[in-house]
Amino acid sequence: MDGSGSAQRLEVTVAGDEGSARLDRVLAARLPDLSRSRLKALILAGAVTREAAAIRDPAYHVAAGDTIIIDVPEAAPAEPKGENIALDIVFEDDDIIVINKPKGLVVHPAAGHETGTLVNALIAHCGTSLSGIGGVRRPGIVHRLDKDTTGLMVVAKNDLAHASLTAQFADHGRTGPMRRGYMAFAWGVPNRHRGTVDAPIDRHPHAREKMAVRQSGREAVTHWEILESFAGRDGKPVAALLACELETGRTHQIRVHLAHIGHPLMGDAVYGPHFKTKANQLGPESQAALTALGRQALHAYLLVLEHPRSGELLHWEAPLPEDLLLLEGALKAAL
């Protein structure tokens, strides 16, 4: 058995030494990857057969040598349940909702995060208006932020809004007014005031949970500009606050691109672990603020888009959250 959820036909030949002649117990002994309740449900549904005849009684006695066929249907995606999770709502009308996402909030249900996600919160807040939008597992979601990235996200509340926002995010401001801006605290200070990283991104060849700059990847473009630079205890530049704008929307794009140019995000354990020793150049207060951060120092502060229905140009900005304000203050003081 695998966990892919795809339909399977399983075959069991009864050995006679399974400890019981009952069908459900024989199958439980021979198919440990299927729970007892799952097997019972399959039997009652007529998905278990012997000599092409369905056996619908879990207590049916089988005999040694019997061949049992079990048709396991493809698992249907679960409907996420609404959960009463507080949301920082920046804007809401009948078509869209814009939230300021806190750190630690996963956007949509996935393996290991079936509950407690933004989608669960949105279903509770918006009710049936999200039904079916964007698929069962991700109703209304047209873009996402990493679990530990804070800041602005827009969610569609109906099909019209979903289609419009999907098109705007696909275009990413090339022909329209959409803008997505991030504040990024990065190690080191680039040697020029602004620049562009134009480097394709694909899955990492060995670590599948990571992304990497690879020629086989999809186009990815990030524009950056230095807003502030910070000195370490020795007075030499140690970090910078960058304003980044996306021209594409690849997974982990800013994190991968800044690491690629030698300036990974502070606190990024995935793409900047080799920069941990850099923390020794910080003063004790800055070190404490970075340790307390416990995440990549990235915040989606700017979102500009056209309203899906009215076409009005909408502009939102979200200030740095408290943990990044504390980091910024400590770095400014070089403490």
Side-chain angles (χ1 to χ4, degrees):
M1 287 289 293
D2 63 35
S4 66
S6 56
Q8 287 184 300
R9 168 163 280 197
L10 306 175
E11 183 176 304
V12 168
T13 300
V14 181
D17 60 359
E18 288 85 3
S20 172
R22 278 179 59 119
L23 174 64
D24 57 350
R25 292 176 182 168
V26 169
L27 295 183
R30 299 293 301 277
L31 300 171
D33 287 336
L34 289 174
S35 69
R36 186 75 61 89
S37 60
R38 177 83 163 126
L39 286 167
K40 184 177 179 181
L42 289 169
I43 294 168
L44 294 174
V48 177
T49 58
R50 173 184 171 274
E51 295 180 355
I55 308 172
R56 296 178 183 270
D57 179 6
Y60 177 88
H61 277 213
V62 294
D66 282 353
T67 298
I68 310 298
I69 303 297
I70 306 97
D71 286 304
V72 183
E74 184 173 354
E79 291 276 0
K81 300 287 192 294
E83 296 177 45
N84 188 18
I85 300 168
L87 293 173
D88 181 1
I89 298 172
V90 177
F91 174 88
E92 182 177 13
D93 64 10
D94 291 341
D95 298 301
I96 61 174
I97 180 170
V98 178
I99 66 143
N100 187 10
K101 189 185 89 65
K103 68 178 179 181
L105 181 62
V106 174
V107 169
H108 49 70
H113 295 286
E114 294 295 332
T115 60
T117 72
L118 175 61
V119 162
N120 298 112
L122 288 166
I123 289 171
H125 178 80
C126 301
T128 57
S129 70
L130 286 179
S131 177
I133 307 301
V136 170
R137 303 289 282 176
R138 308 181 181 187
I141 302 298
V142 293
H143 71 121
R144 68 182 186 90
L145 298 177
D146 296 337
K147 173 187 173 186
D148 287 324
T149 297
T150 54
L152 296 167
M153 277 192 67
V154 61
V155 177
K157 294 176 71 174
N158 53 53
D159 282 321
L160 179 147
H162 194 269
S164 171
L165 292 175
T166 298
Q168 290 187 59
F169 275 90
D171 183 67
H172 253 99
R174 285 186 172 88
T175 62
M178 168 170 274
R179 292 175 63 197
R180 291 173 67 194
Y182 292 73
M183 296 284 191
F185 289 84
W187 286 114
V189 180
N191 57 13
R192 51 201 171 107
H193 183 67
R194 61 172 57 89
T196 296
V197 185
D198 185 347
I201 291 176
D202 203 348
R203 284 280 167 198
H204 192 284
H206 310 300
R208 299 300 293 171
E209 73 282 0
K210 292 175 64 174
M211 309 300 288
V213 169
R214 302 184 70 193
Q215 288 308 306
S216 60
R218 300 171 69 192
E219 179 192 21
V221 180
T222 304
H223 305 287
W224 58 264
E225 179 180 356
I226 298 175
L227 298 181
E228 289 184 89
S229 59
F230 309 104
R233 286 187 296 180
D234 58 4
K236 295 179 181 177
V238 69
L241 173 59
L242 307 178
C244 300
E245 288 208 21
L246 299 181
E247 196 174 302
T248 53
R250 309 298 173 223
T251 300
H252 298 176
Q253 180 171 319
I254 291 175
R255 298 169 66 187
V256 172
H257 272 175
L258 291 184
H260 179 65
I261 63 171
H263 298 286
L265 289 172
M266 300 181 79
D268 194 335
V270 176
Y271 297 105
H274 52 295
F275 275 71
K276 277 188 175 179
T277 54
K278 279 267 191 183
N280 297 330
Q281 299 174 26
L282 303 174
E285 190 176 314
S286 296
Q287 289 189 36
L290 182 57
T291 300
L293 185 67
R295 67 179 182 99
Q296 65 268 11
L298 187 63
H299 175 68
Y301 82 97
L302 174 69
L303 180 61
V304 179
L305 54 84
E306 284 185 353
H307 190 277
R309 192 175 299 273
S310 69
E312 178 186 358
L313 188 63
L314 302 174
H315 179 125
W316 299 280
E317 292 191 28
L320 288 173
E322 186 177 359
D323 57 357
L324 291 181
L325 283 173
L326 289 171
L327 178 63
E328 182 186 33
L331 289 170
K332 278 182 177 178
L335 297 175

